[in-house]
Structure formats: structure tokens, C-alpha cells
Amino acid sequence: MVPLLKVLLLQVTLVFGVHSQILRFPTATSVNDYIALKPDFSSIKSGYTVCSWVKPSSSGRDSFYFSYAKGGAHNTLLVGSSRTHCFLSKCQDRYAFSNILLPGNWYYQCLSWKSGDKVRHYINAVEGSLKNNVAVGGSLPLGGTLVIGQDQDKEGGGFVAKQAYSGDLYELNVFKKQLSLAEISELYFRGRCARVNQENVALSWSRILSEARHGNIKDVDDACVASDVSALLSGNC
């Protein structure tokens, strides 16, 4: 019985290991902690959405966990747990949520854009600040550099320690369309342990996890493994 259980747990780890993996960025911020990659965004045409579970460990400062830069447009796409975000280098303040991301708490944050529509921002499936007609007719430039955990002030670098992200990230995905409120609500209310359907995903969490880490980013196993094991043993998985 014990050997069988060990085999079962090994199989569960192999199947669910990536699904349960959190990235933890140090509380003491520096320019050394980041992941850099060259994502393929060719499937993105006139709209996209960035969603992630975030648990910041600090507040009261600009803090960015997603920075996509192409050439001189270092704020091509900038997302963080602070007051400002940017789409196609058009930046705005999100006053409605400037103080809501309290340290030590999980939030599901999404920012979306569609040419000719609004930039939309959601926290836990509640729509906050909007801005009309941002980058109408624009498109996401291809071939840029994505950095997780820092804000690029030039493509591939120009980091500033006080703008670095500190805390946990989980299930960060880039979707190749502007998700509706109903779609974002479904992702949120299914819970943090639910899997994301990859049909409309341009950049997946598993791809981010496969990239090399720089600095002191830690891989942390989440409690989702325990729930997946229970579900498997009960036949509900």
C-alpha cells in the first residue's frame, strides 16, 4: 500500500507540479531579481489581456511585475501592483485601486486593451478605472523583451530597485484577446487552484516558469498540490 501511494504521489507531482508553483520575489528589492524572455506574441492582433494572481509583500511605492519593451518604447506594456500601468506606451493612473493591494493578501489582477475600446482594469473581477480610445489602431510590437519582476527603462535593462516587485506571483498568463468581465469573473471565482484553459493564451505561466531565474527568486510549492491529491484520490479530478 505504501509503495503504491508513493507512486501515486510521484505521478501527482509530475502532473500538477508546474500548476502549483509560485514565484516569490524578495522583500528587499534589488535590480538582480528577474526573469527575462522573448515571447512570441504573433497571435495577438488588436487586443490582449494580462491576468495574474499577485500577493505583494509591500505597498506605498511603484512596483511592477510585468514589463514588455520593444526598442525605445520601454513602456510598451507595464503592469504592477502600484498606481500606474501602461498599454502601448500610453500610461495612466488607476486611482480607483491605488491603495487596495494590501501586503500579504492574494488578488486576481487583470488589465486588458482592445483597439477602439477602453483600457480596462480589474481586481478580483471588479472593474475599476477605465480610459477610452487608448492607442486606437495600434498593435503590440513583436520581437520585444519581457521582464518579470522589474520595470525596464530600456529594452532588457535600466532597472531601478525601488520599482522592483516584491511578493508572490502565480498563474500569470497573457491572453490574445480582450477578455470580457464574464470571462475574468469565471477565472477569478473558479479560484486560484483552477487551471486556465490554454485556448486563448498567447503566453502561459508554464512558459514563464521554464525560463532562467536571475537573483534570489524562489520557487514555492502551493497548497494546490494538496487539493489536487485529494481530488485525485476521491476521483473528482
Side-chain angles (χ1 to χ4, degrees), residues 131-159:
K131 192 166 185 178
N132 292 321
N133 300 321
V134 174
V136 175
S139 61
L140 189 67
L142 304 180
T145 299
L146 173 61
V147 171
I148 305 297
Q150 302 282 345
D151 172 19
Q152 301 175 81
D153 284 339
K154 64 179 181 179
E155 184 175 355
F159 306 149

PDB file of all heavy atoms in Angstrom, residues 131-159:
ATOM      1  N   LYS A 131     -10.129  53.923 -19.409  1.00  0.00           N
ATOM      2  CA  LYS A 131      -9.695  55.061 -20.215  1.00  0.00           C
ATOM      3  C   LYS A 131     -10.058  54.763 -21.658  1.00  0.00           C
ATOM      4  O   LYS A 131      -9.706  53.708 -22.190  1.00  0.00           O
ATOM      5  CB  LYS A 131      -8.194  55.316 -20.079  1.00  0.00           C
ATOM      6  CG  LYS A 131      -7.784  56.664 -20.674  1.00  0.00           C
ATOM      7  CD  LYS A 131      -6.387  57.078 -20.253  1.00  0.00           C
ATOM      8  CE  LYS A 131      -6.058  58.473 -20.762  1.00  0.00           C
ATOM      9  NZ  LYS A 131      -4.736  58.937 -20.329  1.00  0.00           N
ATOM     10  N   ASN A 132     -10.772  55.687 -22.271  1.00  0.00           N
ATOM     11  CA  ASN A 132     -11.280  55.475 -23.623  1.00  0.00           C
ATOM     12  C   ASN A 132     -10.214  55.730 -24.682  1.00  0.00           C
ATOM     13  O   ASN A 132      -9.324  56.564 -24.501  1.00  0.00           O
ATOM     14  CB  ASN A 132     -12.470  56.395 -23.905  1.00  0.00           C
ATOM     15  CG  ASN A 132     -13.683  56.031 -23.077  1.00  0.00           C
ATOM     16  OD1 ASN A 132     -13.966  54.860 -22.870  1.00  0.00           O
ATOM     17  ND2 ASN A 132     -14.391  57.043 -22.595  1.00  0.00           N
ATOM     18  N   ASN A 133     -10.329  54.991 -25.789  1.00  0.00           N
ATOM     19  CA  ASN A 133      -9.594  55.285 -27.018  1.00  0.00           C
ATOM     20  C   ASN A 133      -8.085  55.375 -26.809  1.00  0.00           C
ATOM     21  O   ASN A 133      -7.432  56.305 -27.271  1.00  0.00           O
ATOM     22  CB  ASN A 133     -10.113  56.591 -27.642  1.00  0.00           C
ATOM     23  CG  ASN A 133     -11.586  56.493 -27.977  1.00  0.00           C
ATOM     24  OD1 ASN A 133     -12.066  55.467 -28.428  1.00  0.00           O
ATOM     25  ND2 ASN A 133     -12.306  57.583 -27.728  1.00  0.00           N
ATOM     26  N   VAL A 134      -7.531  54.410 -26.111  1.00  0.00           N
ATOM     27  CA  VAL A 134      -6.084  54.355 -25.908  1.00  0.00           C
ATOM     28  C   VAL A 134      -5.458  53.579 -27.060  1.00  0.00           C
ATOM     29  O   VAL A 134      -5.814  52.427 -27.315  1.00  0.00           O
ATOM     30  CB  VAL A 134      -5.734  53.692 -24.564  1.00  0.00           C
ATOM     31  CG1 VAL A 134      -4.229  53.509 -24.437  1.00  0.00           C
ATOM     32  CG2 VAL A 134      -6.267  54.539 -23.422  1.00  0.00           C
ATOM     33  N   ALA A 135      -4.522  54.201 -27.753  1.00  0.00           N
ATOM     34  CA  ALA A 135      -3.790  53.562 -28.858  1.00  0.00           C
ATOM     35  C   ALA A 135      -4.740  52.964 -29.885  1.00  0.00           C
ATOM     36  O   ALA A 135      -4.616  51.797 -30.278  1.00  0.00           O
ATOM     37  CB  ALA A 135      -2.830  52.510 -28.318  1.00  0.00           C
ATOM     38  N   VAL A 136      -5.696  53.772 -30.339  1.00  0.00           N
ATOM     39  CA  VAL A 136      -6.636  53.312 -31.361  1.00  0.00           C
ATOM     40  C   VAL A 136      -5.875  52.948 -32.627  1.00  0.00           C
ATOM     41  O   VAL A 136      -5.036  53.722 -33.104  1.00  0.00           O
ATOM     42  CB  VAL A 136      -7.691  54.399 -31.661  1.00  0.00           C
ATOM     43  CG1 VAL A 136      -8.583  53.970 -32.819  1.00  0.00           C
ATOM     44  CG2 VAL A 136      -8.524  54.673 -30.417  1.00  0.00           C
ATOM     45  N   GLY A 137      -6.152  51.781 -33.172  1.00  0.00           N
ATOM     46  CA  GLY A 137      -5.462  51.341 -34.370  1.00  0.00           C
ATOM     47  C   GLY A 137      -4.073  50.807 -34.121  1.00  0.00           C
ATOM     48  O   GLY A 137      -3.375  50.427 -35.052  1.00  0.00           O
ATOM     49  N   GLY A 138      -3.651  50.786 -32.867  1.00  0.00           N
ATOM     50  CA  GLY A 138      -2.316  50.307 -32.543  1.00  0.00           C
ATOM     51  C   GLY A 138      -2.250  48.792 -32.499  1.00  0.00           C
ATOM     52  O   GLY A 138      -3.248  48.094 -32.645  1.00  0.00           O
ATOM     53  N   SER A 139      -1.073  48.287 -32.303  1.00  0.00           N
ATOM     54  CA  SER A 139      -0.866  46.846 -32.164  1.00  0.00           C
ATOM     55  C   SER A 139       0.364  46.628 -31.304  1.00  0.00           C
ATOM     56  O   SER A 139       1.221  47.515 -31.176  1.00  0.00           O
ATOM     57  CB  SER A 139      -0.695  46.169 -33.521  1.00  0.00           C
ATOM     58  OG  SER A 139       0.439  46.690 -34.199  1.00  0.00           O
ATOM     59  N   LEU A 140       0.437  45.450 -30.709  1.00  0.00           N
ATOM     60  CA  LEU A 140       1.576  45.129 -29.866  1.00  0.00           C
ATOM     61  C   LEU A 140       2.782  44.817 -30.739  1.00  0.00           C
ATOM     62  O   LEU A 140       2.731  43.899 -31.555  1.00  0.00           O
ATOM     63  CB  LEU A 140       1.231  43.923 -28.991  1.00  0.00           C
ATOM     64  CG  LEU A 140       2.222  43.570 -27.888  1.00  0.00           C
ATOM     65  CD1 LEU A 140       2.246  44.660 -26.830  1.00  0.00           C
ATOM     66  CD2 LEU A 140       1.846  42.235 -27.258  1.00  0.00           C
ATOM     67  N   PRO A 141       3.878  45.570 -30.609  1.00  0.00           N
ATOM     68  CA  PRO A 141       5.050  45.294 -31.447  1.00  0.00           C
ATOM     69  C   PRO A 141       5.667  43.932 -31.105  1.00  0.00           C
ATOM     70  O   PRO A 141       5.754  43.562 -29.938  1.00  0.00           O
ATOM     71  CB  PRO A 141       6.008  46.439 -31.118  1.00  0.00           C
ATOM     72  CG  PRO A 141       5.579  46.924 -29.774  1.00  0.00           C
ATOM     73  CD  PRO A 141       4.093  46.712 -29.710  1.00  0.00           C
ATOM     74  N   LEU A 142       6.086  43.231 -32.121  1.00  0.00           N
ATOM     75  CA  LEU A 142       6.650  41.898 -31.932  1.00  0.00           C
ATOM     76  C   LEU A 142       8.158  41.968 -31.741  1.00  0.00           C
ATOM     77  O   LEU A 142       8.801  42.952 -32.119  1.00  0.00           O
ATOM     78  CB  LEU A 142       6.306  41.011 -33.130  1.00  0.00           C
ATOM     79  CG  LEU A 142       4.817  40.863 -33.455  1.00  0.00           C
ATOM     80  CD1 LEU A 142       4.640  39.948 -34.663  1.00  0.00           C
ATOM     81  CD2 LEU A 142       4.045  40.343 -32.258  1.00  0.00           C
ATOM     82  N   GLY A 143       8.701  40.911 -31.169  1.00  0.00           N
ATOM     83  CA  GLY A 143      10.152  40.807 -31.032  1.00  0.00           C
ATOM     84  C   GLY A 143      10.734  41.533 -29.854  1.00  0.00           C
ATOM     85  O   GLY A 143      11.954  41.685 -29.760  1.00  0.00           O
ATOM     86  N   GLY A 144       9.884  41.980 -28.924  1.00  0.00           N
ATOM     87  CA  GLY A 144      10.368  42.703 -27.763  1.00  0.00           C
ATOM     88  C   GLY A 144      10.843  41.785 -26.650  1.00  0.00           C
ATOM     89  O   GLY A 144      10.846  40.559 -26.772  1.00  0.00           O
ATOM     90  N   THR A 145      11.237  42.400 -25.537  1.00  0.00           N
ATOM     91  CA  THR A 145      11.740  41.680 -24.368  1.00  0.00           C
ATOM     92  C   THR A 145      10.744  41.820 -23.231  1.00  0.00           C
ATOM     93  O   THR A 145      10.294  42.926 -22.921  1.00  0.00           O
ATOM     94  CB  THR A 145      13.101  42.238 -23.920  1.00  0.00           C
ATOM     95  OG1 THR A 145      14.047  42.086 -24.984  1.00  0.00           O
ATOM     96  CG2 THR A 145      13.615  41.511 -22.684  1.00  0.00           C
ATOM     97  N   LEU A 146      10.404  40.703 -22.626  1.00  0.00           N
ATOM     98  CA  LEU A 146       9.538  40.703 -21.452  1.00  0.00           C
ATOM     99  C   LEU A 146      10.381  40.419 -20.220  1.00  0.00           C
ATOM    100  O   LEU A 146      11.155  39.461 -20.190  1.00  0.00           O
ATOM    101  CB  LEU A 146       8.444  39.634 -21.583  1.00  0.00           C
ATOM    102  CG  LEU A 146       7.565  39.403 -20.354  1.00  0.00           C
ATOM    103  CD1 LEU A 146       6.800  40.664 -19.965  1.00  0.00           C
ATOM    104  CD2 LEU A 146       6.616  38.240 -20.589  1.00  0.00           C
ATOM    105  N   VAL A 147      10.217  41.251 -19.207  1.00  0.00           N
ATOM    106  CA  VAL A 147      10.896  41.053 -17.930  1.00  0.00           C
ATOM    107  C   VAL A 147       9.848  40.904 -16.839  1.00  0.00           C
ATOM    108  O   VAL A 147       8.940  41.732 -16.714  1.00  0.00           O
ATOM    109  CB  VAL A 147      11.849  42.218 -17.605  1.00  0.00           C
ATOM    110  CG1 VAL A 147      12.386  42.105 -16.183  1.00  0.00           C
ATOM    111  CG2 VAL A 147      13.009  42.252 -18.598  1.00  0.00           C
ATOM    112  N   ILE A 148       9.963  39.842 -16.075  1.00  0.00           N
ATOM    113  CA  ILE A 148       9.087  39.588 -14.939  1.00  0.00           C
ATOM    114  C   ILE A 148       9.824  39.999 -13.671  1.00  0.00           C
ATOM    115  O   ILE A 148      10.910  39.493 -13.393  1.00  0.00           O
ATOM    116  CB  ILE A 148       8.692  38.097 -14.857  1.00  0.00           C
ATOM    117  CG1 ILE A 148       8.062  37.611 -16.174  1.00  0.00           C
ATOM    118  CG2 ILE A 148       7.753  37.851 -13.676  1.00  0.00           C
ATOM    119  CD1 ILE A 148       6.780  38.291 -16.547  1.00  0.00           C
ATOM    120  N   GLY A 149       9.237  40.930 -12.922  1.00  0.00           N
ATOM    121  CA  GLY A 149       9.812  41.340 -11.642  1.00  0.00           C
ATOM    122  C   GLY A 149      10.480  42.697 -11.629  1.00  0.00           C
ATOM    123  O   GLY A 149      10.841  43.181 -10.555  1.00  0.00           O
ATOM    124  N   GLN A 150      10.643  43.321 -12.808  1.00  0.00           N
ATOM    125  CA  GLN A 150      11.293  44.628 -12.892  1.00  0.00           C
ATOM    126  C   GLN A 150      10.580  45.506 -13.915  1.00  0.00           C
ATOM    127  O   GLN A 150       9.825  45.002 -14.764  1.00  0.00           O
ATOM    128  CB  GLN A 150      12.765  44.480 -13.314  1.00  0.00           C
ATOM    129  CG  GLN A 150      13.634  43.625 -12.421  1.00  0.00           C
ATOM    130  CD  GLN A 150      14.089  44.325 -11.151  1.00  0.00           C
ATOM    131  OE1 GLN A 150      14.004  45.542 -11.033  1.00  0.00           O
ATOM    132  NE2 GLN A 150      14.588  43.547 -10.199  1.00  0.00           N
ATOM    133  N   ASP A 151      10.864  46.802 -13.848  1.00  0.00           N
ATOM    134  CA  ASP A 151      10.409  47.763 -14.855  1.00  0.00           C
ATOM    135  C   ASP A 151      11.595  48.123 -15.743  1.00  0.00           C
ATOM    136  O   ASP A 151      12.610  48.623 -15.254  1.00  0.00           O
ATOM    137  CB  ASP A 151       9.860  49.014 -14.153  1.00  0.00           C
ATOM    138  CG  ASP A 151       9.545  50.149 -15.120  1.00  0.00           C
ATOM    139  OD1 ASP A 151       9.400  49.869 -16.330  1.00  0.00           O
ATOM    140  OD2 ASP A 151       9.454  51.301 -14.667  1.00  0.00           O
ATOM    141  N   GLN A 152      11.467  47.860 -17.037  1.00  0.00           N
ATOM    142  CA  GLN A 152      12.532  48.206 -17.977  1.00  0.00           C
ATOM    143  C   GLN A 152      12.456  49.702 -18.318  1.00  0.00           C
ATOM    144  O   GLN A 152      11.420  50.190 -18.751  1.00  0.00           O
ATOM    145  CB  GLN A 152      12.395  47.399 -19.273  1.00  0.00           C
ATOM    146  CG  GLN A 152      12.432  45.894 -19.085  1.00  0.00           C
ATOM    147  CD  GLN A 152      12.170  45.141 -20.368  1.00  0.00           C
ATOM    148  OE1 GLN A 152      13.068  44.959 -21.195  1.00  0.00           O
ATOM    149  NE2 GLN A 152      10.922  44.687 -20.543  1.00  0.00           N
ATOM    150  N   ASP A 153      13.549  50.392 -18.147  1.00  0.00           N
ATOM    151  CA  ASP A 153      13.646  51.771 -18.625  1.00  0.00           C
ATOM    152  C   ASP A 153      14.385  51.838 -19.958  1.00  0.00           C
ATOM    153  O   ASP A 153      14.530  52.903 -20.553  1.00  0.00           O
ATOM    154  CB  ASP A 153      14.333  52.663 -17.588  1.00  0.00           C
ATOM    155  CG  ASP A 153      13.391  53.009 -16.440  1.00  0.00           C
ATOM    156  OD1 ASP A 153      12.157  52.922 -16.633  1.00  0.00           O
ATOM    157  OD2 ASP A 153      13.868  53.350 -15.350  1.00  0.00           O
ATOM    158  N   LYS A 154      14.865  50.714 -20.394  1.00  0.00           N
ATOM    159  CA  LYS A 154      15.339  50.493 -21.756  1.00  0.00           C
ATOM    160  C   LYS A 154      15.187  49.007 -22.004  1.00  0.00           C
ATOM    161  O   LYS A 154      15.117  48.209 -21.048  1.00  0.00           O
ATOM    162  CB  LYS A 154      16.795  50.929 -21.936  1.00  0.00           C
ATOM    163  CG  LYS A 154      17.792  50.147 -21.104  1.00  0.00           C
ATOM    164  CD  LYS A 154      19.212  50.619 -21.368  1.00  0.00           C
ATOM    165  CE  LYS A 154      20.211  49.796 -20.540  1.00  0.00           C
ATOM    166  NZ  LYS A 154      21.608  50.227 -20.803  1.00  0.00           N
ATOM    167  N   GLU A 155      15.076  48.605 -23.252  1.00  0.00           N
ATOM    168  CA  GLU A 155      14.818  47.201 -23.527  1.00  0.00           C
ATOM    169  C   GLU A 155      15.927  46.320 -22.962  1.00  0.00           C
ATOM    170  O   GLU A 155      17.103  46.491 -23.273  1.00  0.00           O
ATOM    171  CB  GLU A 155      14.676  46.937 -25.029  1.00  0.00           C
ATOM    172  CG  GLU A 155      14.303  45.495 -25.325  1.00  0.00           C
ATOM    173  CD  GLU A 155      14.028  45.212 -26.796  1.00  0.00           C
ATOM    174  OE1 GLU A 155      14.036  46.161 -27.607  1.00  0.00           O
ATOM    175  OE2 GLU A 155      13.804  44.032 -27.136  1.00  0.00           O
ATOM    176  N   GLY A 156      15.530  45.407 -22.073  1.00  0.00           N
ATOM    177  CA  GLY A 156      16.461  44.463 -21.486  1.00  0.00           C
ATOM    178  C   GLY A 156      17.186  44.953 -20.247  1.00  0.00           C
ATOM    179  O   GLY A 156      17.998  44.217 -19.679  1.00  0.00           O
ATOM    180  N   GLY A 157      16.894  46.160 -19.802  1.00  0.00           N
ATOM    181  CA  GLY A 157      17.615  46.672 -18.631  1.00  0.00           C
ATOM    182  C   GLY A 157      17.058  47.996 -18.133  1.00  0.00           C
ATOM    183  O   GLY A 157      15.887  48.303 -18.290  1.00  0.00           O
ATOM    184  N   GLY A 158      17.959  48.791 -17.519  1.00  0.00           N
ATOM    185  CA  GLY A 158      17.545  50.070 -16.948  1.00  0.00           C
ATOM    186  C   GLY A 158      16.683  49.916 -15.712  1.00  0.00           C
ATOM    187  O   GLY A 158      15.820  50.745 -15.427  1.00  0.00           O
ATOM    188  N   PHE A 159      16.906  48.829 -14.949  1.00  0.00           N
ATOM    189  CA  PHE A 159      16.081  48.561 -13.780  1.00  0.00           C
ATOM    190  C   PHE A 159      16.375  49.545 -12.653  1.00  0.00           C
ATOM    191  O   PHE A 159      17.497  50.046 -12.516  1.00  0.00           O
ATOM    192  CB  PHE A 159      16.327  47.138 -13.260  1.00  0.00           C
ATOM    193  CG  PHE A 159      16.164  46.061 -14.298  1.00  0.00           C
ATOM    194  CD1 PHE A 159      16.914  44.892 -14.233  1.00  0.00           C
ATOM    195  CD2 PHE A 159      15.253  46.194 -15.332  1.00  0.00           C
ATOM    196  CE1 PHE A 159      16.765  43.883 -15.172  1.00  0.00           C
ATOM    197  CE2 PHE A 159      15.084  45.198 -16.287  1.00  0.00           C
ATOM    198  CZ  PHE A 159      15.856  44.039 -16.207  1.00  0.00           C
TER     199      PHE A 159
END
